[in-house]
Structures are given as C-alpha cells and as structure tokens.
Amino acid sequence: AASFGHIFKGLMEDRLAICVLGHGLGRRLLKEHAASLRPVSIEIGSLVPNGFMRQMDGECHRQYRRALVQGINAIDFPALVPNIDSIVLEGLAAYAADGPRQSERGAWNDMLSSISIDLLIHTVFGLQPGSSAFMELKTGYFRLGPHGVAWTISDRQVEAFGDLSCQVRKHLSGHETVDPACLLAGLGNSALIDETLLGNLIYMVELGRYDLRGLLRWVSKYAAEHPSWLARIANEPLSHLQSHTSAAAAFVLETLRMDQSERLMRHVLDDFVFEGYLIPKGALLRVCMWEAHKDSDTFPRPFDFDPARHLGAGAAGERFSPFGLDHHLCPFAGLTVQLAAAFLRVLAMNYKIAARDGDPAVRGPYHWQPAPGFTVELMRRGGHLQ
C-alpha cells in the first residue's frame, strides 16, 4: 500500500487478488458492489440446504440471519456464567496441576481447544457440562474435524454431521434437559428451525471453536506480557463483565485489533469498476483489516497494546470492525467477546501467567497465531473464584 496506494493487485494461492486498504474504502466497495461479490467460506451445500449463511444473499439470508439473531439475543449470559466459570476453572486447574505438561509443546493449545468447544456447546446448545449428552456432542465435533476444520467434505464429515444433527434434533424435542438461558432455547418455536438453520448452527460452532481457541491463545500471550491489566481485571466486579466497556472486554477487543482480525475475503463474480480500477471476474478481493487497525491516524501508537483505547466510547463502527464490515457481519461477535472476557476474568482471578516462545507469529490454517513453541506456565494466586 505504501508503494502502490490503497488499491493494488497481487497473487494469492496462484490467483489474482485485489487488495483494498482502509475501513471507509472497504465498506463502500462492499456496499456498492454487493451483488458482484460472494464471501469466501467453507462449502457445506452438500450437507445443508441453502448452504452456509455467510454465503446466502437476499431474502434467504435475511430470514435465516433474523432467526439466528433472535436466538443469540435471547441468551441469558449472566445465568450461564456459573457453568462458564466452572468450565474454564476446571480446564485451567487440570493444566496447572500437571507441572511437566506445562513445558510440553502444544499442551496449552490442547487445553484451550477443550475449553473452547465446551464453552460453545454449553452456550449454544445448553447441555450440562460433563453430562453424557454433552460428552456425546463433544465427541461428535472431534469426529467432524479431528485436526481442524475440514474444508473438503468427505464421507467422514457426512457421517459425523449426520450424527450431530440427530443429537441436536433430540435436544430440541425435549429428550435432554437444555438450559433455558442458551441459544437453542432462545430460538423458541421459530418457523425457520429447519435443516438449514440447524446445519448452520452446527457448523458455526465447528468454525467457532477454532476461532475462539486462537483468540484465547492471543489473549493469554498478552495477559502474560501485561500483568498490570491482569491484576486490574482480577479486581473488576462480576457485574462489569456484562458490559463491553469492562476492562476484560477492552482487553479482548485490543487483542482483536492487534491480531486475528485480519481480512475479509470475497470471490468476484462479475467485472466491475471501483475508484477507476477494474475488479475482474474470477479474482479474489481482500479487504485488509489488520492493516487498517494499525492506522496511526485512527489508533495512536498503533503497535502498542493498550486496552484503554476501548474503554468508554471506545473505537467502533467506522474505525474498528473486527467482525466484518457489511451485512455478513458475524452474528456471534458480541458472544465471542463475552466468552473470551469470561475466560480472561477466571484466569486473572486465579493465576499469574508466564509465557515463552510465542514470537515470531506464524501463519496458521485460519489466522496468524503465536509461534508453534508457545508455552504457558500458570502460578496460583492463592485466591479463589468468587
């Protein structure tokens, strides 16, 4: 961008890629040429009628998104907090109690992977942590993607997805006790609780467990590097956790500004001209988010980690959009911040944290992430979770 301006072309995975830098420019492009663009995402049309919601358009997209948002808005997060805290505390305690494990490469990542899927299963599907139904669903997800999201749907995914669908249908029909505070209960009797909506919900959890795990890795790295913020979060009243202006939420938002909020990708379906440039059919469009979040005109000292940026009025909308810029904005944005903030609060109240070998960052399957050798040591604070 410094050499060629805010719109330039390059090669990405052997395809022409048009890169656009800047929130305002990216938002305007996505709005003016929405009909010529399609989100890049996993193709699940062979499993789910109408495919993935983020690739839907028009009235179909509006109807299913409306039903999903209804369920998300109905989540009673404060009612879920005791179980959320228990999930996190149990995972951290088991990790902390196993001294040799803390020096093992990948051990922290494995623990975060387990915590992430547990948090999502409880919050989305409302199953009691540790119950047979909960463990059955968790096992099903590890069958669906044992080594990460499977972007090519094979017989393994077809079978595992079919089993997960049957389990979720069973929960909906009342065969299992579902926490009334969860998303699934919040869907109520919506007429759109069909194979498309449920299939999307299952796959959003599938994608979300890797994104949440990655976010928690970055959160823990910054927590180790900024102990004063960890102490501040440890002393924050629980009531503040429900606010996006809490210290814990601000810490998560600054983590997203620094890392993991990287780009929006679109397939170009038709030729169009934007700002005098031809954007050709068949190209990839990359709206560069990581770079926009390092704009010194918007964020002074952009490479300094400073959660205080997000306290009070914070940085929002036109200047900061870690979960998207257009009508495909991630509907789980608020819930993701709440879950990560809850994890951080439990970590801060119970442990001091030391980390090593997290630099330099590497490109992972889905996002940039701390180096593969990243390890974490937990030291008990002596207090107990209230």
Side-chain angles (χ1 to χ4, degrees):
S3 299
F4 302 110
H6 281 56
I7 301 176
F8 58 94
K9 64 184 178 181
L11 290 175
M12 188 177 189
E13 298 175 355
D14 296 323
R15 290 180 62 184
L16 174 66
I18 309 300
C19 298
V20 176
L21 180 59
H23 273 62
L25 206 60
R27 181 176 282 105
R28 185 158 58 82
L29 187 155
L30 294 171
K31 182 178 180 180
E32 292 177 2
H33 298 283
S36 298
L37 300 169
R38 184 169 184 262
V40 175
S41 186
I42 187 171
E43 299 284 351
I44 60 172
S46 61
L47 301 174
V48 179
N50 299 307
F52 211 6
M53 190 179 299
R54 67 176 58 173
Q55 293 182 316
M56 296 178 188
D57 249 319
E59 187 58 27
C60 182
H61 178 261
R62 285 189 288 272
Q63 287 182 347
Y64 282 109
R65 183 182 176 88
R66 191 180 305 123
L68 178 64
V69 170
Q70 171 189 318
I72 293 172
N73 289 342
I75 293 173
D76 185 353
F77 197 82
L80 295 174
V81 163
N83 276 329
I84 288 171
D85 285 352
S86 294
I87 287 170
V88 176
L89 191 56
E90 183 178 324
L92 293 176
Y95 180 86
D98 190 349
R101 186 185 179 202
Q102 296 189 45
S103 61
E104 292 179 7
R105 178 173 173 149
W108 182 250
N109 192 51
D110 291 344
M111 188 276 299
L112 292 181
S113 181
S114 183
I115 283 180
S116 296
I117 187 59
D118 287 358
L119 290 175
L120 290 171
I121 287 176
H122 182 61
T123 306
V124 173
F125 300 114
L127 298 177
Q128 188 66 23
S131 68
S132 58
F134 185 99
M135 298 309 297
E136 184 182 11
L137 205 61
K138 183 174 180 176
T139 299
Y141 269 106
F142 280 105
R143 286 178 55 221
L144 182 64
H147 307 296
V149 177
W151 284 79
T152 301
I153 304 298
S154 68
D155 290 343
R156 176 198 292 270
Q157 279 68 51
V158 172
E159 181 180 353
F161 177 81
D163 290 344
L164 285 169
S165 297
C166 289
Q167 292 171 40
V168 174
R169 279 289 183 191
K170 185 169 64 175
H171 308 328
L172 267 176
S173 64
H175 283 74
E176 298 289 343
T177 300
V178 171
D179 194 315
C182 77
L183 188 157
L184 194 65
L187 290 174
N189 296 315
S190 171
L192 281 175
I193 300 182
D194 59 9
E195 296 305 319
T196 294
L197 182 58
L198 291 183
N200 269 271
L201 200 57
I202 290 168
Y203 251 91
M204 286 175 181
V205 170
E206 171 68 355
L207 294 177
R209 66 186 176 117
Y210 296 105
D211 284 343
L212 182 58
R213 179 190 67 184
L215 176 57
L216 297 184
R217 289 188 79 195
W218 282 115
V219 164
S220 55
K221 181 177 185 294
Y222 286 118
E225 294 171 356
H226 299 276
S228 62
W229 273 96
L230 206 62
R232 176 173 177 174
I233 291 165
N235 293 315
E236 193 169 43
L238 175 59
S239 58
H240 288 193
L241 185 62
Q242 313 312 319
S243 169
H244 276 213
T245 59
S246 71
F251 195 100
V252 172
L253 291 171
E254 180 69 347
T255 300
L256 287 165
R257 186 190 72 83
M258 292 291 288
D259 293 287
Q260 195 147 324
S261 175
E262 295 158 0
R263 78 274 188 228
L264 292 177
M265 298 297 299
R266 298 290 186 264
H267 294 294
V268 181
L269 305 179
D270 299 292
D271 290 350
F272 65 88
V273 175
F274 180 73
E275 293 286 301
Y277 292 92
L278 171 66
I279 313 296
K281 177 181 178 179
L284 287 171
L285 175 71
R286 179 188 179 103
V287 180
C288 302
M289 308 293 291
W290 186 95
E291 292 81 0
H293 289 155
K294 308 302 182 298
D295 183 350
S296 59
D297 290 337
T298 302
F299 299 101
R301 308 177 320 281
F303 292 97
D304 289 354
F305 183 86
D306 182 10
R309 305 176 197 273
H310 307 278
L311 295 173
E318 295 296 322
R319 302 187 300 129
F320 181 56
S321 303
F323 294 98
L325 288 171
D326 62 359
H327 64 292
H328 289 281
L329 177 75
C330 177
F332 283 91
L335 181 61
T336 299
V337 173
Q338 284 182 305
L339 288 174
F343 167 85
L344 181 58
R345 172 181 167 271
V346 175
L347 177 65
M349 291 186 68
N350 290 273
Y351 295 98
K352 297 177 181 178
I353 178 172
R356 65 177 185 274
D357 300 332
D359 296 313
V362 297
R363 176 66 188 169
Y366 320 109
H367 297 282
W368 285 83
Q369 58 191 31
F374 178 61
T375 56
V376 166
E377 180 183 358
L378 299 181
M379 295 149 283
R380 188 76 186 179
R381 282 190 183 276
H384 298 279
L385 183 65
Q386 301 296 317

